[in-house]
Amino acid sequence: MNVKRLGKSDLEITSVGFGAWAIGGSGYEWGWGAQDDADSIAAIHEALDAGANWIDTAAVYGLGRSEEVVARALHGVRRRPYVFTKCGMIWDENRQVGNRLKADSIRRECEASLRRLRVDCIDLYQIHWPKPAEDIEEGWAMMAALQREGKVRWIGVSNFDVDQLRQAQAIAPVTSLQPPYSLVRRQVEEEILPFCFHHHIGVIAYSPMASGLLTGAMTRERVAALPPDDWRRRSPDYQEPLLSRNLRLVRLLEAIGRQRGRSPAEVVVAWVLRHPAVTGAIVGARRPGQFEGVAGAAEFRLSNREVAEIEAFFRLEARRAGAGSHPVVDSAPIAGGQAAAAR
């Protein structure tokens, strides 16, 4: 795969990397239902074999389980990928998740992630959410301290807006931002992506396939059959009126892909990667065969005509909904809403 430098770091990352949220499984508010660890490990190996050179996880995914599975998958791997993880979301003895950015909490989280990942240094350590907002500066100062101490190589953020990026930059350089970005989540295009591009902040797009909804594998029947402990049942993208719109979008992606010998997932991820501010996109997988079906997006380029077809679709949908001429009906704001909070 092609590689790009992540912001001002020395990390040269492939266009797509492995996303380890879903392999955290169930047992907490933002779980994906039951998950087999053997499938997870095989999926990670498939991603590495396909050429991906980074894995993105977080302490909160499966309440530590995702990081532990990543460590197991990488045991004995000769060409180790970069490992990125996140902090700022903690849980109690009842497995209830909350946000915390106090310095002492972030230090404890870092030490715990180092143990679970079985590494001496984390390649990219990220604040997961800018919550509580009043503690952003304290939390980011501790991130910079961990970097100076050699516990983490580079530090980044996730789900920050432009003002919060500026706030962090005043304390220490922000290597990267991880925002939601997909055909159904385009709020970052107006201000955030241009800001990152101008300030040389790397961008790692998460949920480019809308958590599986835009892959072509999701049908109305499959959505209805999602297990009760799969957070997607609560997502507005998986409910009406957005569900019908999104499934119509998938039919367009399938048609475009058919003409080029590509899957809908490859089409939608390629669309995300075409933005000049985007360094890489996270591709999640839960079992072998899933990542392999998307990896080709790294080298796939949509034509201007195909991009225009997609934009025309959203203009038509806006007219259908009586929502004016904006090309996209977004499902949730970047800093709120169930779809955003899930990540």
Side-chain angles (χ1 to χ4, degrees), residues 124-144:
L124 177 68
Y125 201 41
Q126 305 154 97
I127 288 181
H128 209 149
W129 280 94
K131 299 177 182 179
E134 61 270 21
D135 292 333
I136 288 174
E137 293 183 2
E138 179 178 344
W140 190 245
M142 174 51 68
M143 298 284 281

Side-chain angles (χ1 to χ4, degrees), residues 240-259:
E240 296 299 350
L242 292 176
L243 177 60
S244 290
R245 188 277 310 264
N246 293 335
L247 292 177
R248 287 193 293 271
L249 173 59
V250 170
R251 290 199 291 271
L252 172 61
L253 300 175
E254 288 173 335
I256 291 173
R258 255 191 319 270
Q259 296 172 0

Side-chain angles (χ1 to χ4, degrees), residues 8-326:
K8 296 180 181 178
S9 75
D10 63 356
L11 304 176
E12 298 279 344
I13 70 169
T14 49
S15 299
V16 295
F18 183 88
W21 177 13
I23 67 171
S26 61
Y28 72 117
E29 186 177 4
W30 303 113
W32 292 63
Q35 178 67 23
D36 186 302
D37 289 349
D39 282 345
S40 302
I41 291 170
I44 291 172
H45 290 165
E46 177 180 271
L48 300 183
D49 289 343
N53 75 348
W54 54 280
I55 296 172
D56 181 82
T57 184
V60 76
Y61 297 163
L63 310 187
R65 179 180 174 186
S66 175
E67 289 184 329
E68 291 171 348
V69 171
V70 168
R72 288 169 56 194
L74 297 184
H75 180 70
V77 171
R78 293 183 61 187
R79 297 185 63 182
R80 288 181 61 88
Y82 300 127
V83 176
F84 308 157
T85 193
K86 310 178 199 72
C87 63
M89 297 186 75
I90 59 174
W91 57 94
D92 60 21
E93 63 276 6
N94 296 316
R95 304 179 73 84
Q96 296 301 303
V97 176
N99 299 90
R100 187 169 175 81
L101 294 177
K102 291 295 185 182
D104 59 344
S105 179
I106 286 181
R107 181 175 289 279
R108 284 194 299 271
E109 282 197 77
C110 181
E111 297 291 352
S113 287
L114 288 167
R115 287 193 298 271
R116 285 190 293 263
L117 290 167
R118 304 178 198 171
V119 295
D120 297 322
C121 181
I122 294 165
D123 294 305
L124 177 68
Y125 201 41
Q126 305 154 97
I127 288 181
H128 209 149
W129 280 94
K131 299 177 182 179
E134 61 270 21
D135 292 333
I136 288 174
E137 293 183 2
E138 179 178 344
W140 190 245
M142 174 51 68
M143 298 284 281
L146 294 170
Q147 185 180 31
R148 289 193 299 271
E149 294 169 18
K151 294 183 182 296
V152 304
R153 293 179 62 194
W154 301 98
I155 53 176
V157 297
S158 181
N159 299 299
F160 275 43
D161 62 25
V162 168
D163 288 341
Q164 291 160 342
L165 286 168
R166 288 195 179 103
Q167 188 178 6
Q169 286 275 68
I171 297 169
V174 177
T175 297
S176 61
L177 169 70
Q178 194 175 125
Y181 187 40
S182 73
L183 274 169
V184 297
R185 301 281 303 282
R186 292 175 64 173
Q187 303 93 323
V188 295
E189 289 179 336
E190 186 173 349
E191 289 186 298
I192 295 174
L193 293 184
F195 180 87
C196 290
F197 186 79
H198 179 73
H199 291 274
H200 305 288
I201 296 171
V203 173
I204 300 171
Y206 77 74
S207 296
M209 301 177 291
S211 301
L213 187 54
L214 303 182
T215 62
M218 196 64 68
T219 62
R220 192 176 298 277
E221 292 73 25
R222 186 174 172 189
V223 169
L226 288 172
D229 55 352
D230 189 323
W231 74 270
R232 292 174 295 179
R233 291 183 68 91
R234 308 190 304 273
S235 169
D237 278 329
Y238 281 74
Q239 299 173 5
E240 296 299 350
L242 292 176
L243 177 60
S244 290
R245 188 277 310 264
N246 293 335
L247 292 177
R248 287 193 293 271
L249 173 59
V250 170
R251 290 199 291 271
L252 172 61
L253 300 175
E254 288 173 335
I256 291 173
R258 255 191 319 270
Q259 296 172 0
R260 303 283 296 276
R262 299 287 182 171
S263 69
E266 288 175 306
V267 173
V268 75
V269 174
W271 181 90
V272 168
L273 293 173
R274 64 185 288 275
H275 196 290
V278 173
T279 315
I282 295 172
V283 172
R286 303 180 66 179
R287 59 188 62 88
Q290 293 181 330
F291 191 95
E292 187 177 52
V294 189
E299 312 298 332
F300 178 45
R301 299 292 180 269
L302 289 167
S303 69
N304 291 336
R305 179 185 60 79
E306 289 161 342
V307 172
E309 282 186 67
I310 293 170
E311 295 298 333
F313 168 86
F314 283 106
R315 286 193 296 271
L316 177 61
E317 289 295 317
R319 288 197 295 272
R320 184 199 299 267
S325 60
H326 194 282

